[in-house]
Amino acid sequence: MDNNIIRHIRQSLSWKLSLGILLMAIPIFALSIGFLFIHSREKVKKEATEHAASVVNTTMQHITRFMDIVETATDVNDWEATANLQPDSLLAISRSIVVLNGHIDGCSISTEPNIFPKYGRNFSAYTVRESDTITTVIEEPYEYFEKVWYKTPHLQGKPCWVVYYDESDSLSLTLDGMIASYSKPLYNDEKQFVGVISTDLSLIRLSKVITSETPYEGSYFMMTGDEGRYFLHPDTAQLFTNTIYSDANPRENADIFALGHEMTTGKTGSMSVRSNGEQCLVSYQAVPGTNWSLALVSPERSILRCYNRMNYIIAPLFFIGLLLVMLFSSVTVAHAIHPLNKLTGNLHRIAQGHYDQQIPRSPTNDVVGRLQNSFAAMQDSLNNHVNEIRQMNEEASRRNEELVHTSELAKASSQQKTLFIQNVSHQIRTPLNIIMGFAQILKESKGLMPDEEAKKITDMMRHNAVLLNRMVLMLADCSARGVTQELYASKNEEVSCLEVAQESIAKARENYPDIDFRLTVDLPDDFSISANHHYLMLSVRELLINAANHSTGGYAWLRVTEYLSKIRFIVQDEGPGIPKKECERMFEMFTKVNDLSEGLGLGLALARRHIHNLGGDVFIDETYNNGCRMIIELPKIK
């Protein structure tokens, strides 16, 4: 396929010029789009850095607002704790701080050993907020003097913020998880240290507020303290156990160490680092009044997501632009040689066998126009000759098909004729043999045979004679000329339905004297219709004989009834019935349910022909399943 394309380009002047223009356009397009991509990428990263810094600054304002609330609430109430250094007062002050400040999660006022001998060595009034419930208790005795929230302000002699993990397994009532606590030492009027008031801020609740404002998918906030230790991180397993330097290699992760140094020294800025296997933009800012640092980590894949989607737009536009350049140049060049190219294309298709391809006549009189007109005249002459040959071939093909069809019909007719002759010979020879055999027996017995046996033989001879007579009459009826004209000439006589039914049963009983023929007439005895008595009786008799021939119940039932505007002669029996797929075929000439059964296969076909000529119809009731039910339907007299 590649060789064909190269060959086509070499043979096309327009394509050669178009490719030349395209080769000059590709570097220009590539340099322009490359510059656009690089500039756009830097622009997006710059805007992302500014946006991340803005989000960090906004989040920091939320944090400092929470911290200011905690500090203010503590500073406002510490004097009251020292002024009223009584257990009940301390409990009330602790509870008041939490109740009046919805952002504070807990407050404890803990005293030095043995301040209140009644309570032993330890006394700590503690209030905690749990959902919508605020609980104030005297904490169970435990050594809180070495806890960071008590020890640090005691040693420093001034208020400070500390972060610690609440040991919830040691006390019955505590906050869960990481806690940021503003701890302030308490001094009495003699400047003696008497205890610490510590107001708690749950970092779990604070993190929910912070993380709800992440600007990019996959971005998260983290907060570090001393030595870069995590106390706010989406991976809770990192809290208080790992630092920003954990699992970092100084050689491979120099950017992580640089980030850690910036954050632990209280600086503000942005830096691109590789974290968890992907490049991230980290914007960080020191928390005022603490040695903490807040950072927003945003994966570059999320920052550049919209930018990267531009690739799916720019790349197709790049190729579409090149394609348009190529097409425009090709169209421009090809316009000058369009008539010759068109003529060449038409001639090439004709040479490949597409003889219906038309060569239009040219309105110009130049060399190409005269050449094109000459080819058009030649094509018209060839088309006329080809059309004549095609018509001759179609006519010959049609005649061949007719001959084949005629031959098949003749063959089928010959086969049907042979089968019919064989069937007639068998059906006539059987009763003749019976009659001749019994006649020979009667002749040889010469009156010595008992009367009862002689009667049986004569009845059998008579039955077979009736069969022969019926078959001969049916053959005559089948080959008769002018039957239709006779029926139409006499079908307007009034025929009694009762008489036709009774006569049909009498005629059928001659053929089958042992069958119980039953008759039901749902019409008045004098009810008549316009029909031909003889052919209607023959048709009903044939249906009764067919029922008697196939009945296994020993009876055939004829019912005459009225149905809507029709009169029906219904004949049914109990027997194997006729398969639904064979119902319609049973009314064709020379057709039988079983090729070995008695009859010529003419009875039902002749019955339908007679009834059709009388203006009615004969059909099989396919809903009857206990045998076979055939219906003759004729119009009533108006």
Side-chain angles (χ1 to χ4, degrees):
M1 183 176 179
D2 294 339
N3 293 333
N4 293 334
I5 294 175
I6 294 173
R7 187 182 302 110
H8 177 72
I9 293 175
R10 288 178 177 177
Q11 295 175 356
S12 174
L13 178 60
S14 61
W15 275 100
K16 288 180 180 180
L17 294 175
S18 299
L19 286 177
I21 296 173
L22 187 63
L23 291 176
M24 290 186 296
I26 288 176
I28 298 173
F29 267 68
L31 290 174
S32 301
I33 293 178
F35 175 78
L36 177 63
F37 261 69
I38 294 173
H39 180 72
S40 299
R41 184 183 181 88
E42 294 302 320
K43 184 71 173 177
V44 170
K45 291 183 69 174
K46 182 179 179 182
E47 291 179 355
T49 301
E50 294 174 355
H51 181 56
S54 175
V55 172
V56 170
N57 187 55
T58 302
T59 305
M60 184 61 70
Q61 292 177 11
H62 291 325
I63 294 174
T64 54
R65 182 165 59 88
F66 284 122
M67 294 174 68
D68 289 342
I69 292 173
V70 173
E71 291 179 5
T72 302
T74 305
D75 295 339
V76 167
N77 291 279
D78 66 333
W79 67 270
E80 189 175 358
T82 56
N84 300 280
L85 195 61
Q86 296 296 327
D88 293 339
S89 298
L90 297 181
L91 287 170
I93 295 169
S94 172
R95 182 176 183 84
S96 175
I97 291 174
V98 177
V99 170
L100 296 177
N101 299 277
H103 295 293
I104 294 177
D105 296 292
C107 177
S108 66
I109 304 176
S110 305
T111 64
E112 279 288 270
N114 302 314
I115 292 291
F116 303 117
K118 177 182 177 180
Y119 295 96
R121 171 180 169 82
N122 310 86
F123 178 83
S124 178
Y126 183 51
T127 299
V128 63
R129 183 191 303 275
E130 294 179 323
S131 298
D132 296 331
T133 303
I134 297 177
T135 306
T136 304
V137 297
I138 297 175
E139 290 192 274
E140 298 175 7
Y142 74 104
E143 290 297 316
Y144 52 77
F145 308 107
E146 296 299 322
K147 297 295 183 181
V148 64
W149 55 268
Y150 190 93
K151 184 178 180 180
T152 302
H154 186 192
L155 294 176
Q156 294 182 359
K158 62 179 181 179
C160 62
W161 278 93
V162 295
V163 175
Y164 63 96
Y165 188 84
D166 196 352
E167 298 177 356
S168 58
D169 58 341
S170 62
L171 300 173
S172 60
L173 186 66
T174 58
L175 288 172
D176 293 332
M178 298 292 298
I179 298 174
S181 183
Y182 178 69
S183 300
K184 186 173 184 179
L186 299 176
Y187 297 94
N188 60 17
D189 294 338
E190 288 78 21
K191 304 299 181 181
Q192 293 178 340
F193 176 75
V194 294
V196 171
I197 179 170
S198 178
T199 308
D200 301 332
L201 189 64
S202 173
L203 291 182
I204 294 178
R205 191 157 70 92
L206 182 62
S207 66
K208 292 179 180 179
V209 177
I210 295 174
T211 55
S212 64
E213 300 179 2
T214 53
Y216 302 107
E217 181 181 354
S219 60
Y220 61 91
F221 281 98
M222 66 178 183
M223 188 179 290
T224 61
D226 295 337
E227 300 178 356
R229 191 172 304 279
Y230 293 118
F231 56 84
L232 182 63
H233 196 279
D235 183 4
T236 56
Q238 304 280 350
L239 301 179
F240 247 58
T241 59
N242 290 342
T243 68
I244 194 172
Y245 308 109
S246 299
D247 302 326
N249 189 312
R251 293 184 179 179
E252 298 178 358
N253 307 110
D255 50 355
I256 296 293
F257 281 85
L259 175 63
H261 176 74
E262 291 282 309
M263 294 179 66
T264 54
T265 54
K267 296 183 178 180
T268 300
S270 297
M271 183 179 295
S272 179
V273 299
R274 189 164 188 82
S275 175
N276 297 325
E278 62 178 341
Q279 203 68 25
C280 300
L281 174 65
V282 181
S283 294
Y284 50 91
Q285 184 175 343
V287 180
T290 68
N291 58 355
W292 309 340
S293 182
L294 177 69
L296 172 63
V297 182
S298 304
E300 285 194 5
R301 58 177 172 79
S302 298
I303 295 173
L304 299 176
R305 174 166 296 174
C306 294
Y307 169 79
N308 291 331
R309 288 176 181 171
M310 292 177 58
N311 295 333
Y312 300 103
I313 300 175
I314 299 299
L317 289 178
F318 175 76
F319 290 105
I320 291 173
L322 293 178
L323 181 62
L324 290 175
V325 171
M326 182 176 61
L327 291 177
F328 178 76
S329 60
S330 177
V331 169
T332 302
V333 174
H335 180 73
I337 55 174
H338 173 67
L340 187 59
N341 285 337
K342 187 174 181 180
L343 177 60
T344 303
N346 291 334
L347 293 176
H348 182 66
R349 285 184 57 81
I350 294 173
Q352 290 179 333
H354 301 281
Y355 301 113
D356 56 343
Q357 179 67 42
Q358 292 293 323
I359 299 177
R361 294 186 176 273
S362 174
T364 62
N365 196 30
D366 54 9
V367 175
V368 176
R370 292 196 300 272
L371 179 62
Q372 182 172 338
N373 291 334
S374 298
F375 275 107
M378 180 180 66
Q379 185 186 36
D380 292 341
S381 178
L382 290 174
N383 285 339
N384 293 333
H385 182 65
V386 169
N387 288 335
E388 292 177 357
I389 296 175
R390 184 182 293 110
Q391 291 176 359
M392 293 175 62
N393 290 336
E394 290 176 355
E395 181 66 21
S397 176
R398 185 182 63 79
R399 291 183 179 180
N400 289 336
E401 290 178 358
E402 291 178 354
L403 289 175
V404 171
H405 181 65
T406 303
S407 176
E408 290 177 352
L409 291 177
K411 184 178 179 180
S413 177
S414 176
Q415 291 177 350
Q416 190 175 23
K417 177 181 177 181
T418 301
L419 292 174
F420 175 68
I421 292 174
Q422 291 175 353
N423 187 33
V424 170
S425 298
H426 172 73
Q427 296 293 336
I428 293 178
R429 183 169 63 249
T430 299
L432 279 177
N433 289 338
I434 292 173
I435 294 172
M436 291 176 64
F438 283 139
Q440 184 67 26
I441 292 173
L442 291 174
K443 179 180 178 181
E444 293 176 354
S445 64
K446 294 180 179 180
L448 299 177
M449 184 179 297
D451 293 341
E452 184 178 351
E453 187 174 351
K455 183 177 182 305
K456 290 182 180 180
I457 292 176
T458 55
D459 289 343
M460 183 66 71
M461 294 175 66
R462 182 178 178 279
H463 174 72
N464 283 278
V466 170
L467 289 178
L468 281 173
N469 180 61
R470 175 171 170 264
M471 284 188 285
V472 171
L473 291 176
M474 289 175 66
L475 290 172
D477 190 7
C478 181
S479 60
R481 300 288 183 179
V483 174
T484 302
Q485 289 78 4
E486 179 185 349
L487 284 171
Y488 275 111
S490 59
K491 76 174 183 178
N492 291 325
E493 62 178 308
E494 290 190 4
V495 178
S496 171
C497 294
L498 177 61
E499 292 179 0
V500 170
Q502 292 174 341
E503 184 178 352
S504 300
I505 288 178
K507 293 291 184 181
R509 191 173 282 120
E510 293 178 359
N511 293 79
Y512 292 93
D514 298 331
I515 294 296
D516 180 15
F517 289 97
R518 304 171 185 176
L519 174 61
T520 301
V521 181
D522 299 333
L523 302 172
D525 294 344
D526 59 348
F527 190 87
S528 300
I529 60 174
S530 178
N532 182 282
H533 179 91
H534 174 69
Y535 286 105
L536 177 58
M537 182 275 297
L538 289 180
S539 301
V540 176
R541 184 196 69 176
E542 288 303 325
L543 266 60
L544 287 168
I545 291 174
N546 182 76
N549 188 27
H550 296 93
S551 177
T552 58
Y555 78 92
W557 180 36
L558 170 61
R559 180 182 179 185
V560 185
T561 185
E562 181 179 2
Y563 179 76
L564 300 179
S565 61
K566 306 285 185 181
I567 297 300
R568 283 185 170 183
F569 292 82
I570 304 172
V571 179
Q572 72 180 43
D573 62 76
E574 287 187 0
I578 299 174
K580 290 183 179 181
K581 62 180 181 179
E582 298 290 336
C583 287
E584 191 61 29
R585 198 174 69 87
M586 294 309 301
F587 292 100
E588 296 178 2
M589 289 287 187
F590 317 120
T591 301
K592 298 188 294 182
V593 176
N594 185 354
D595 292 337
L596 300 178
S597 62
E598 185 181 274
L600 301 175
L602 294 174
L604 295 180
L606 291 174
R608 171 170 277 190
R609 187 176 75 177
H610 296 332
I611 296 303
H612 280 180
N613 287 332
L614 291 173
D617 192 15
V618 181
F619 57 90
I620 298 175
D621 185 0
E622 297 182 3
T623 63
Y624 183 68
N625 299 320
N626 294 327
C628 180
R629 177 186 289 162
M630 295 191 181
I631 300 174
I632 294 176
E633 196 173 68
L634 291 168
K636 293 190 299 185
I637 297 176
K638 295 183 180 180

